[in-house]
Amino acid sequence: MKVLVTVKRVIDPYVKVRVKSDGSGVETANVKMTMNPFCEIAVEQAVRMKEAGVVSEIVVVSIGVQQCQETLRTAMAMGADRGILVETGADVQPLAVAKVLKQIVEKEQPKLVIMGKQAIDDDSNQCGQTLAALLNWPQAAFTSNIVVNGDSADVTREIDGGLEKLTLKLPAVMTTDLRLNEPRYVTLPNIMKAKKKPLEVVKPDALGVDVTPRLKVLKVQEPPKRSTGVKVADVAELVAKLKNEARVI
């Protein structure tokens, strides 16, 4: 069974994010970048399924600038077999991402697509659901357990009320939650081996997809700084401040 996994290059989650001086977006120049944490979980799940003999080939896909090749190489160092980069300098928004992935899925014909449930930069949480709709495939979002049984998969999803168990017919699209697994540490020997694995680079035009942004960002600004706290003498003063100043009661 072939599995296709998507990976995104994002700002390292441990780096302090800074807004550009002109308010046009987030500063990415000379900022440490890494693979989206939820995408790491998706790659790890595919690799574990391959180690268990369920998966025969893992294809990783990324959409973005040339530097995304580094992210794909990291995924291949974790255990993926080959990579595909859809190279573009445009701000590729969720609908365009889903359209690009649809073309790749139709070309590669995987039985399963595993994606991170969201990216930590835009927090859209749209691509997996949109791709499933475009393909007309079953979907399971926020998965915390996946067991493949032939042409179907038993899935546990994390929902507001607890856990939900589903059985999906393959092919299907799944998005990963935090508790699905813990990604492995990438070793130096595997990093060196990943450099020899095939990596294909294509353009959106070659796939027949227009990735021109449909949404325009008017302004990006940092949240206001929290004001210092104050001490109150008694409960009556606390209630008065909550009522008259905070206006929460």
Side-chain angles (χ1 to χ4, degrees):
M1 181 177 77
K2 181 191 291 187
V3 172
L4 188 143
V5 184
T6 61
V7 296
K8 185 176 184 182
R9 180 174 181 262
V10 299
I11 295 177
D12 190 292
Y14 299 104
V15 171
K16 179 176 174 57
V17 176
R18 294 180 289 110
V19 175
K20 292 181 179 178
S21 57
D22 59 0
S24 60
V26 173
E27 185 62 66
T28 57
N30 301 317
V31 175
K32 184 181 179 183
M33 307 294 282
T34 188
M35 187 190 304
N36 178 48
F38 290 103
C39 297
E40 280 189 299
I41 294 171
V43 174
E44 175 66 26
Q45 181 62 29
V47 173
R48 292 189 184 189
M49 293 168 69
K50 184 178 180 182
E51 291 172 343
V54 177
V55 171
S56 57
E57 184 182 21
I58 302 171
V59 182
V60 285
V61 181
S62 188
I63 304 171
V65 296
Q66 184 181 9
Q67 289 85 343
C68 291
Q69 291 189 28
E70 300 171 9
T71 308
L72 290 169
R73 293 294 180 191
T74 300
M76 288 188 276
M78 291 176 68
D81 297 292
R82 57 188 175 92
I84 300 173
L85 170 61
V86 182
E87 187 176 347
T88 175
D91 177 21
V92 187
Q93 295 171 350
L95 179 59
V97 170
K99 288 181 177 180
V100 168
L101 293 176
K102 177 177 181 289
Q103 297 301 316
I104 295 176
V105 168
E106 290 177 347
K107 175 186 175 184
E108 294 290 337
Q109 295 293 310
K111 292 289 292 291
L112 180 62
V113 177
I114 307 178
M115 309 173 65
K117 71 172 184 178
Q118 65 195 79
I120 62 171
D121 52 1
D122 57 15
D123 277 333
S124 292
N125 181 24
Q126 298 176 22
C127 294
Q129 295 88 329
T130 307
L131 175 61
L134 293 176
L135 292 169
N136 196 26
W137 283 10
Q139 63 170 300
F142 320 127
T143 56
S144 59
N145 188 48
I146 302 172
V147 179
V148 175
N149 300 306
D151 291 332
S152 65
D154 296 328
V155 176
T156 301
R157 296 183 59 235
E158 297 196 355
I159 59 176
D160 291 341
L163 299 176
E164 178 184 41
K165 294 188 176 182
L166 301 174
T167 298
L168 305 180
K169 288 186 177 181
L170 301 179
V173 177
M174 300 182 188
T175 68
T176 61
D177 213 327
L178 279 173
R179 281 153 288 280
L180 179 59
N181 60 54
E182 184 175 344
R184 67 193 62 195
Y185 176 76
V186 180
T187 62
L188 182 58
N190 287 335
I191 293 174
M192 301 305 294
K193 291 177 184 178
K195 293 182 179 180
K196 298 181 180 180
K197 292 184 178 180
L199 196 160
E200 179 185 359
V201 179
V202 298
K203 300 288 185 180
D205 294 343
L207 300 173
V209 179
D210 180 12
V211 296
T212 303
R214 293 168 177 256
L215 304 175
K216 181 180 180 181
V217 177
L218 300 179
K219 186 178 181 181
V220 177
Q221 62 185 40
E222 294 185 8
K225 293 183 179 179
R226 294 181 61 180
S227 58
T228 57
V230 295
K231 290 184 178 181
V232 294
D234 50 34
V235 174
E237 185 181 354
L238 172 62
V239 172
K241 286 184 176 295
L242 292 175
K243 183 176 181 180
N244 301 323
E245 297 181 16
R247 299 184 183 278
V248 294
I249 59 174

